Amino acid sequence: MGIGRRPAIESLYQYNSSFDAVAVIDLAARHGLTPTPGVVTNFIGAQIPPQVHPSRLMELAGTVEGPPDPGNWHADIAEWAAALRCVNQSKDTFRIIELGCGWACWLTNTGVAARNAGLKVDLIGVEGNAQHLDNARETLALNGFDAQDYTLFHGIAAPKTGQALFPAPNADERIWNGEAVFYPDAATLERAKADPAVQVLDCYPLSELSQNQRVDLLHIDIQGAERDYVLGNFPDIRRHVARILIGTHSRQIEGHLTAHFLAAGWRLEMERPALVRIQKGRPKLAIDGVQMWANPQLTPDLT
C-alpha cells in the first residue's frame, strides 16, 4: 500500500514527547485575532507575507490560521510545540539561532511568542539564498522587529570556517533544498567563481554566531548536513546551547544523532521520525523528522 496524503497527515500525530505538546501550543495561542488583508496571520499572531511561499500562501492571504492539527502549512505539532517550549523555558531574553532560516520562519514565530510573553529577543539566522534573506527581513519588519532585534548572515552553517559552494537561484525561483559543497579545493573554487549558477559563501560555525552567549534554541534545518554540523560544533553546543531542535532528513541521520546525544548525556524531549516513501526499493524522504534535545548542563530536568 502506498502512502497517500491522508495517511501521511495522520502520521504527524505519531510524535513522542516528554511534555504535553498540545498544552504548550494552546498556551501560546492568541484569541480574538483579526485577519489582515494581504498577509497570513497564524495562531500566535505572527504575520507572514504570501510571497515567501506563493503556491501555499496566496490562497490563505487575509485569513487567520488556527493551531496545527496535526500541522499547518509549514510545520506540525511536534516542531511547533518543541520550539514554543524553548520560549517558555527562557528568562529575560530569548535567543535563537536558526540555521537554514529561509524567510525567518522560526525566528519570527518564536520571536513573536517570546514578545507575547514579555521577553526581549535576540534572533540570529543563517541562510544561503539571498532571496530568502530579503523575505526574512520583510517578514521580521512586518512583525515589528527592529534591526537591533535580529542578525542575518548570508552564508552556510558549517563545522568550521572556510568557504562553501551553494546554488545561485534565478530571480523567479524558490529553492528550499539547496545543498552546499563544503571546503572546495582551489581549482574547484576558481571554477565556481566563474560560474553564474554557483555562489561562493562563507561558512559559519556556532562560535561565529553565539559570541559565547547562551542560546535558548538552536534550530537546524540544513538539508542533510545536520549530523556533521552537530559533531563538528559539539564543544560549543555543549557550552552554550540549552536546547537543539533538528529537522532530520533521513532515518540514518536520526540514528546517528540519537546515539551521539545519548552518549553525551542529553535528554530527548521531542521526537517524530522522518516520514519516507519507498521508491525503487529505497526509502525516499517525504516529510522531515523532528528531534529536540535538552542540554543537562544548561536546563533543569522538567520531565
Side-chain angles (χ1 to χ4, degrees), residues 15-47:
Y15 60 85
N16 297 288
S17 173
S18 66
F19 59 94
D20 188 334
V22 173
V24 168
I25 290 172
D26 288 345
L27 182 64
R30 304 291 297 275
H31 301 286
L33 294 169
T34 58
T36 299
V39 301
V40 180
T41 303
N42 69 20
F43 70 101
I44 62 172
Q47 296 187 327

PDB file of all heavy atoms in Angstrom, residues 15-47:
ATOM      1  N   TYR A  15       4.007  11.502  17.261  1.00  0.00           N
ATOM      2  CA  TYR A  15       5.213  12.029  17.883  1.00  0.00           C
ATOM      3  C   TYR A  15       5.332  11.484  19.301  1.00  0.00           C
ATOM      4  O   TYR A  15       4.350  11.026  19.905  1.00  0.00           O
ATOM      5  CB  TYR A  15       5.179  13.563  17.910  1.00  0.00           C
ATOM      6  CG  TYR A  15       4.018  14.160  18.666  1.00  0.00           C
ATOM      7  CD1 TYR A  15       4.076  14.357  20.043  1.00  0.00           C
ATOM      8  CD2 TYR A  15       2.842  14.515  18.013  1.00  0.00           C
ATOM      9  CE1 TYR A  15       3.008  14.892  20.741  1.00  0.00           C
ATOM     10  CE2 TYR A  15       1.773  15.064  18.695  1.00  0.00           C
ATOM     11  CZ  TYR A  15       1.854  15.236  20.055  1.00  0.00           C
ATOM     12  OH  TYR A  15       0.789  15.762  20.748  1.00  0.00           O
ATOM     13  N   ASN A  16       6.541  11.534  19.839  1.00  0.00           N
ATOM     14  CA  ASN A  16       6.800  11.149  21.222  1.00  0.00           C
ATOM     15  C   ASN A  16       7.367  12.354  21.952  1.00  0.00           C
ATOM     16  O   ASN A  16       8.317  12.985  21.477  1.00  0.00           O
ATOM     17  CB  ASN A  16       7.800   9.991  21.274  1.00  0.00           C
ATOM     18  CG  ASN A  16       7.267   8.748  20.607  1.00  0.00           C
ATOM     19  OD1 ASN A  16       6.373   8.095  21.130  1.00  0.00           O
ATOM     20  ND2 ASN A  16       7.806   8.407  19.441  1.00  0.00           N
ATOM     21  N   SER A  17       6.785  12.675  23.096  1.00  0.00           N
ATOM     22  CA  SER A  17       7.147  13.900  23.782  1.00  0.00           C
ATOM     23  C   SER A  17       7.242  13.669  25.283  1.00  0.00           C
ATOM     24  O   SER A  17       6.465  12.894  25.852  1.00  0.00           O
ATOM     25  CB  SER A  17       6.092  14.978  23.482  1.00  0.00           C
ATOM     26  OG  SER A  17       6.321  16.131  24.245  1.00  0.00           O
ATOM     27  N   SER A  18       8.184  14.350  25.926  1.00  0.00           N
ATOM     28  CA  SER A  18       8.309  14.279  27.383  1.00  0.00           C
ATOM     29  C   SER A  18       7.439  15.314  28.077  1.00  0.00           C
ATOM     30  O   SER A  18       7.446  15.406  29.305  1.00  0.00           O
ATOM     31  CB  SER A  18       9.773  14.475  27.791  1.00  0.00           C
ATOM     32  OG  SER A  18      10.199  15.799  27.481  1.00  0.00           O
ATOM     33  N   PHE A  19       6.681  16.110  27.320  1.00  0.00           N
ATOM     34  CA  PHE A  19       5.815  17.147  27.866  1.00  0.00           C
ATOM     35  C   PHE A  19       4.517  17.154  27.079  1.00  0.00           C
ATOM     36  O   PHE A  19       4.398  16.492  26.041  1.00  0.00           O
ATOM     37  CB  PHE A  19       6.513  18.518  27.815  1.00  0.00           C
ATOM     38  CG  PHE A  19       6.917  18.937  26.420  1.00  0.00           C
ATOM     39  CD1 PHE A  19       6.093  19.738  25.641  1.00  0.00           C
ATOM     40  CD2 PHE A  19       8.126  18.518  25.872  1.00  0.00           C
ATOM     41  CE1 PHE A  19       6.458  20.117  24.362  1.00  0.00           C
ATOM     42  CE2 PHE A  19       8.506  18.899  24.586  1.00  0.00           C
ATOM     43  CZ  PHE A  19       7.664  19.691  23.830  1.00  0.00           C
ATOM     44  N   ASP A  20       3.539  17.903  27.556  1.00  0.00           N
ATOM     45  CA  ASP A  20       2.238  17.968  26.895  1.00  0.00           C
ATOM     46  C   ASP A  20       2.329  18.962  25.743  1.00  0.00           C
ATOM     47  O   ASP A  20       2.223  20.175  25.931  1.00  0.00           O
ATOM     48  CB  ASP A  20       1.162  18.395  27.905  1.00  0.00           C
ATOM     49  CG  ASP A  20      -0.252  18.299  27.342  1.00  0.00           C
ATOM     50  OD1 ASP A  20      -0.416  18.386  26.110  1.00  0.00           O
ATOM     51  OD2 ASP A  20      -1.200  18.161  28.148  1.00  0.00           O
ATOM     52  N   ALA A  21       2.530  18.433  24.552  1.00  0.00           N
ATOM     53  CA  ALA A  21       2.767  19.278  23.389  1.00  0.00           C
ATOM     54  C   ALA A  21       1.562  20.153  23.066  1.00  0.00           C
ATOM     55  O   ALA A  21       1.706  21.350  22.761  1.00  0.00           O
ATOM     56  CB  ALA A  21       3.132  18.414  22.182  1.00  0.00           C
ATOM     57  N   VAL A  22       0.386  19.592  23.109  1.00  0.00           N
ATOM     58  CA  VAL A  22      -0.812  20.352  22.766  1.00  0.00           C
ATOM     59  C   VAL A  22      -1.038  21.473  23.775  1.00  0.00           C
ATOM     60  O   VAL A  22      -1.435  22.592  23.409  1.00  0.00           O
ATOM     61  CB  VAL A  22      -2.035  19.425  22.683  1.00  0.00           C
ATOM     62  CG1 VAL A  22      -3.319  20.221  22.489  1.00  0.00           C
ATOM     63  CG2 VAL A  22      -1.861  18.430  21.530  1.00  0.00           C
ATOM     64  N   ALA A  23      -0.761  21.208  25.062  1.00  0.00           N
ATOM     65  CA  ALA A  23      -0.923  22.250  26.082  1.00  0.00           C
ATOM     66  C   ALA A  23       0.039  23.409  25.837  1.00  0.00           C
ATOM     67  O   ALA A  23      -0.321  24.580  26.049  1.00  0.00           O
ATOM     68  CB  ALA A  23      -0.701  21.659  27.469  1.00  0.00           C
ATOM     69  N   VAL A  24       1.258  23.121  25.397  1.00  0.00           N
ATOM     70  CA  VAL A  24       2.223  24.180  25.102  1.00  0.00           C
ATOM     71  C   VAL A  24       1.715  25.049  23.956  1.00  0.00           C
ATOM     72  O   VAL A  24       1.800  26.286  24.002  1.00  0.00           O
ATOM     73  CB  VAL A  24       3.597  23.570  24.765  1.00  0.00           C
ATOM     74  CG1 VAL A  24       4.537  24.620  24.172  1.00  0.00           C
ATOM     75  CG2 VAL A  24       4.223  22.949  26.006  1.00  0.00           C
ATOM     76  N   ILE A  25       1.169  24.422  22.927  1.00  0.00           N
ATOM     77  CA  ILE A  25       0.627  25.171  21.793  1.00  0.00           C
ATOM     78  C   ILE A  25      -0.578  26.000  22.220  1.00  0.00           C
ATOM     79  O   ILE A  25      -0.702  27.178  21.861  1.00  0.00           O
ATOM     80  CB  ILE A  25       0.264  24.194  20.657  1.00  0.00           C
ATOM     81  CG1 ILE A  25       1.547  23.629  20.040  1.00  0.00           C
ATOM     82  CG2 ILE A  25      -0.602  24.875  19.601  1.00  0.00           C
ATOM     83  CD1 ILE A  25       1.328  22.513  19.046  1.00  0.00           C
ATOM     84  N   ASP A  26      -1.470  25.396  23.000  1.00  0.00           N
ATOM     85  CA  ASP A  26      -2.655  26.117  23.471  1.00  0.00           C
ATOM     86  C   ASP A  26      -2.273  27.332  24.309  1.00  0.00           C
ATOM     87  O   ASP A  26      -2.915  28.391  24.230  1.00  0.00           O
ATOM     88  CB  ASP A  26      -3.559  25.183  24.282  1.00  0.00           C
ATOM     89  CG  ASP A  26      -4.274  24.160  23.419  1.00  0.00           C
ATOM     90  OD1 ASP A  26      -4.302  24.340  22.181  1.00  0.00           O
ATOM     91  OD2 ASP A  26      -4.794  23.175  23.976  1.00  0.00           O
ATOM     92  N   LEU A  27      -1.229  27.188  25.127  1.00  0.00           N
ATOM     93  CA  LEU A  27      -0.789  28.295  25.973  1.00  0.00           C
ATOM     94  C   LEU A  27      -0.298  29.475  25.137  1.00  0.00           C
ATOM     95  O   LEU A  27      -0.490  30.641  25.501  1.00  0.00           O
ATOM     96  CB  LEU A  27       0.329  27.823  26.903  1.00  0.00           C
ATOM     97  CG  LEU A  27       0.890  28.851  27.892  1.00  0.00           C
ATOM     98  CD1 LEU A  27      -0.174  29.281  28.891  1.00  0.00           C
ATOM     99  CD2 LEU A  27       2.115  28.286  28.621  1.00  0.00           C
ATOM    100  N   ALA A  28       0.315  29.176  23.993  1.00  0.00           N
ATOM    101  CA  ALA A  28       0.859  30.238  23.147  1.00  0.00           C
ATOM    102  C   ALA A  28      -0.189  30.891  22.253  1.00  0.00           C
ATOM    103  O   ALA A  28       0.038  31.992  21.741  1.00  0.00           O
ATOM    104  CB  ALA A  28       1.979  29.681  22.276  1.00  0.00           C
ATOM    105  N   ALA A  29      -1.323  30.231  22.058  1.00  0.00           N
ATOM    106  CA  ALA A  29      -2.338  30.729  21.120  1.00  0.00           C
ATOM    107  C   ALA A  29      -2.932  32.041  21.615  1.00  0.00           C
ATOM    108  O   ALA A  29      -3.201  32.214  22.806  1.00  0.00           O
ATOM    109  CB  ALA A  29      -3.425  29.684  20.931  1.00  0.00           C
ATOM    110  N   ARG A  30      -3.134  32.965  20.689  1.00  0.00           N
ATOM    111  CA  ARG A  30      -3.797  34.235  20.987  1.00  0.00           C
ATOM    112  C   ARG A  30      -5.246  34.141  20.517  1.00  0.00           C
ATOM    113  O   ARG A  30      -5.529  33.621  19.432  1.00  0.00           O
ATOM    114  CB  ARG A  30      -3.112  35.392  20.251  1.00  0.00           C
ATOM    115  CG  ARG A  30      -1.631  35.544  20.535  1.00  0.00           C
ATOM    116  CD  ARG A  30      -1.335  36.014  21.948  1.00  0.00           C
ATOM    117  NE  ARG A  30      -1.874  37.333  22.228  1.00  0.00           N
ATOM    118  CZ  ARG A  30      -1.272  38.481  21.940  1.00  0.00           C
ATOM    119  NH1 ARG A  30      -0.110  38.489  21.297  1.00  0.00           N
ATOM    120  NH2 ARG A  30      -1.825  39.634  22.268  1.00  0.00           N
ATOM    121  N   HIS A  31      -6.146  34.651  21.322  1.00  0.00           N
ATOM    122  CA  HIS A  31      -7.561  34.570  20.993  1.00  0.00           C
ATOM    123  C   HIS A  31      -8.066  35.939  20.517  1.00  0.00           C
ATOM    124  O   HIS A  31      -7.546  36.983  20.895  1.00  0.00           O
ATOM    125  CB  HIS A  31      -8.358  34.088  22.205  1.00  0.00           C
ATOM    126  CG  HIS A  31      -7.907  32.747  22.697  1.00  0.00           C
ATOM    127  ND1 HIS A  31      -8.187  31.573  22.034  1.00  0.00           N
ATOM    128  CD2 HIS A  31      -7.162  32.400  23.792  1.00  0.00           C
ATOM    129  CE1 HIS A  31      -7.662  30.557  22.693  1.00  0.00           C
ATOM    130  NE2 HIS A  31      -7.030  31.025  23.763  1.00  0.00           N
ATOM    131  N   GLY A  32      -9.075  35.914  19.655  1.00  0.00           N
ATOM    132  CA  GLY A  32      -9.648  37.141  19.154  1.00  0.00           C
ATOM    133  C   GLY A  32      -8.822  37.822  18.079  1.00  0.00           C
ATOM    134  O   GLY A  32      -8.986  39.031  17.845  1.00  0.00           O
ATOM    135  N   LEU A  33      -7.933  37.100  17.418  1.00  0.00           N
ATOM    136  CA  LEU A  33      -7.134  37.676  16.348  1.00  0.00           C
ATOM    137  C   LEU A  33      -8.019  38.035  15.160  1.00  0.00           C
ATOM    138  O   LEU A  33      -8.951  37.305  14.823  1.00  0.00           O
ATOM    139  CB  LEU A  33      -6.050  36.696  15.902  1.00  0.00           C
ATOM    140  CG  LEU A  33      -4.951  36.380  16.926  1.00  0.00           C
ATOM    141  CD1 LEU A  33      -4.101  35.209  16.448  1.00  0.00           C
ATOM    142  CD2 LEU A  33      -4.069  37.607  17.164  1.00  0.00           C
ATOM    143  N   THR A  34      -7.728  39.130  14.534  1.00  0.00           N
ATOM    144  CA  THR A  34      -8.482  39.544  13.352  1.00  0.00           C
ATOM    145  C   THR A  34      -7.577  39.441  12.129  1.00  0.00           C
ATOM    146  O   THR A  34      -6.367  39.702  12.211  1.00  0.00           O
ATOM    147  CB  THR A  34      -9.007  40.979  13.485  1.00  0.00           C
ATOM    148  OG1 THR A  34      -7.892  41.859  13.701  1.00  0.00           O
ATOM    149  CG2 THR A  34      -9.971  41.083  14.656  1.00  0.00           C
ATOM    150  N   PRO A  35      -8.131  39.072  10.985  1.00  0.00           N
ATOM    151  CA  PRO A  35      -7.311  38.941   9.775  1.00  0.00           C
ATOM    152  C   PRO A  35      -6.813  40.287   9.275  1.00  0.00           C
ATOM    153  O   PRO A  35      -7.455  41.323   9.489  1.00  0.00           O
ATOM    154  CB  PRO A  35      -8.261  38.282   8.776  1.00  0.00           C
ATOM    155  CG  PRO A  35      -9.632  38.612   9.269  1.00  0.00           C
ATOM    156  CD  PRO A  35      -9.545  38.696  10.755  1.00  0.00           C
ATOM    157  N   THR A  36      -5.673  40.261   8.622  1.00  0.00           N
ATOM    158  CA  THR A  36      -5.099  41.446   7.987  1.00  0.00           C
ATOM    159  C   THR A  36      -5.059  41.210   6.489  1.00  0.00           C
ATOM    160  O   THR A  36      -4.512  40.199   6.041  1.00  0.00           O
ATOM    161  CB  THR A  36      -3.667  41.701   8.503  1.00  0.00           C
ATOM    162  OG1 THR A  36      -3.710  41.936   9.919  1.00  0.00           O
ATOM    163  CG2 THR A  36      -3.049  42.901   7.813  1.00  0.00           C
ATOM    164  N   PRO A  37      -5.648  42.089   5.710  1.00  0.00           N
ATOM    165  CA  PRO A  37      -5.648  41.890   4.253  1.00  0.00           C
ATOM    166  C   PRO A  37      -4.235  41.728   3.691  1.00  0.00           C
ATOM    167  O   PRO A  37      -3.306  42.445   4.093  1.00  0.00           O
ATOM    168  CB  PRO A  37      -6.306  43.163   3.712  1.00  0.00           C
ATOM    169  CG  PRO A  37      -7.141  43.665   4.845  1.00  0.00           C
ATOM    170  CD  PRO A  37      -6.370  43.319   6.095  1.00  0.00           C
ATOM    171  N   GLY A  38      -4.073  40.740   2.817  1.00  0.00           N
ATOM    172  CA  GLY A  38      -2.817  40.579   2.102  1.00  0.00           C
ATOM    173  C   GLY A  38      -1.758  39.762   2.790  1.00  0.00           C
ATOM    174  O   GLY A  38      -0.711  39.485   2.195  1.00  0.00           O
ATOM    175  N   VAL A  39      -1.960  39.369   4.058  1.00  0.00           N
ATOM    176  CA  VAL A  39      -0.983  38.542   4.759  1.00  0.00           C
ATOM    177  C   VAL A  39      -1.703  37.403   5.472  1.00  0.00           C
ATOM    178  O   VAL A  39      -2.925  37.437   5.681  1.00  0.00           O
ATOM    179  CB  VAL A  39      -0.153  39.345   5.786  1.00  0.00           C
ATOM    180  CG1 VAL A  39       0.597  40.477   5.114  1.00  0.00           C
ATOM    181  CG2 VAL A  39      -1.028  39.875   6.912  1.00  0.00           C
ATOM    182  N   VAL A  40      -0.923  36.398   5.843  1.00  0.00           N
ATOM    183  CA  VAL A  40      -1.445  35.283   6.629  1.00  0.00           C
ATOM    184  C   VAL A  40      -1.106  35.533   8.094  1.00  0.00           C
ATOM    185  O   VAL A  40       0.049  35.829   8.428  1.00  0.00           O
ATOM    186  CB  VAL A  40      -0.831  33.945   6.175  1.00  0.00           C
ATOM    187  CG1 VAL A  40      -1.394  32.788   6.998  1.00  0.00           C
ATOM    188  CG2 VAL A  40      -1.077  33.718   4.690  1.00  0.00           C
ATOM    189  N   THR A  41      -2.087  35.445   8.966  1.00  0.00           N
ATOM    190  CA  THR A  41      -1.879  35.583  10.401  1.00  0.00           C
ATOM    191  C   THR A  41      -2.019  34.208  11.033  1.00  0.00           C
ATOM    192  O   THR A  41      -3.006  33.521  10.797  1.00  0.00           O
ATOM    193  CB  THR A  41      -2.910  36.540  11.024  1.00  0.00           C
ATOM    194  OG1 THR A  41      -2.839  37.803  10.364  1.00  0.00           O
ATOM    195  CG2 THR A  41      -2.651  36.732  12.514  1.00  0.00           C
ATOM    196  N   ASN A  42      -1.023  33.787  11.806  1.00  0.00           N
ATOM    197  CA  ASN A  42      -1.140  32.465  12.420  1.00  0.00           C
ATOM    198  C   ASN A  42      -1.673  32.560  13.851  1.00  0.00           C
ATOM    199  O   ASN A  42      -1.992  33.644  14.346  1.00  0.00           O
ATOM    200  CB  ASN A  42       0.172  31.677  12.327  1.00  0.00           C
ATOM    201  CG  ASN A  42       1.291  32.247  13.189  1.00  0.00           C
ATOM    202  OD1 ASN A  42       1.064  32.995  14.141  1.00  0.00           O
ATOM    203  ND2 ASN A  42       2.512  31.879  12.864  1.00  0.00           N
ATOM    204  N   PHE A  43      -1.742  31.439  14.517  1.00  0.00           N
ATOM    205  CA  PHE A  43      -2.462  31.340  15.795  1.00  0.00           C
ATOM    206  C   PHE A  43      -1.779  32.063  16.939  1.00  0.00           C
ATOM    207  O   PHE A  43      -2.404  32.306  17.980  1.00  0.00           O
ATOM    208  CB  PHE A  43      -2.683  29.873  16.161  1.00  0.00           C
ATOM    209  CG  PHE A  43      -1.432  29.134  16.548  1.00  0.00           C
ATOM    210  CD1 PHE A  43      -1.124  28.900  17.869  1.00  0.00           C
ATOM    211  CD2 PHE A  43      -0.558  28.661  15.577  1.00  0.00           C
ATOM    212  CE1 PHE A  43       0.026  28.219  18.230  1.00  0.00           C
ATOM    213  CE2 PHE A  43       0.586  27.971  15.911  1.00  0.00           C
ATOM    214  CZ  PHE A  43       0.890  27.752  17.246  1.00  0.00           C
ATOM    215  N   ILE A  44      -0.497  32.431  16.786  1.00  0.00           N
ATOM    216  CA  ILE A  44       0.157  33.209  17.838  1.00  0.00           C
ATOM    217  C   ILE A  44       0.199  34.695  17.494  1.00  0.00           C
ATOM    218  O   ILE A  44       0.734  35.491  18.260  1.00  0.00           O
ATOM    219  CB  ILE A  44       1.576  32.692  18.131  1.00  0.00           C
ATOM    220  CG1 ILE A  44       2.468  32.810  16.894  1.00  0.00           C
ATOM    221  CG2 ILE A  44       1.541  31.261  18.650  1.00  0.00           C
ATOM    222  CD1 ILE A  44       3.930  32.502  17.179  1.00  0.00           C
ATOM    223  N   GLY A  45      -0.336  35.044  16.320  1.00  0.00           N
ATOM    224  CA  GLY A  45      -0.370  36.440  15.916  1.00  0.00           C
ATOM    225  C   GLY A  45       0.747  36.852  14.988  1.00  0.00           C
ATOM    226  O   GLY A  45       0.837  38.030  14.617  1.00  0.00           O
ATOM    227  N   ALA A  46       1.617  35.925  14.591  1.00  0.00           N
ATOM    228  CA  ALA A  46       2.667  36.248  13.620  1.00  0.00           C
ATOM    229  C   ALA A  46       2.044  36.422  12.244  1.00  0.00           C
ATOM    230  O   ALA A  46       1.104  35.721  11.876  1.00  0.00           O
ATOM    231  CB  ALA A  46       3.721  35.147  13.591  1.00  0.00           C
ATOM    232  N   GLN A  47       2.585  37.367  11.481  1.00  0.00           N
ATOM    233  CA  GLN A  47       2.081  37.647  10.141  1.00  0.00           C
ATOM    234  C   GLN A  47       3.125  37.264   9.097  1.00  0.00           C
ATOM    235  O   GLN A  47       4.310  37.591   9.244  1.00  0.00           O
ATOM    236  CB  GLN A  47       1.707  39.123  10.010  1.00  0.00           C
ATOM    237  CG  GLN A  47       0.555  39.524  10.921  1.00  0.00           C
ATOM    238  CD  GLN A  47       0.078  40.942  10.671  1.00  0.00           C
ATOM    239  OE1 GLN A  47       0.854  41.817  10.330  1.00  0.00           O
ATOM    240  NE2 GLN A  47      -1.220  41.154  10.849  1.00  0.00           N
TER     241      GLN A  47
END
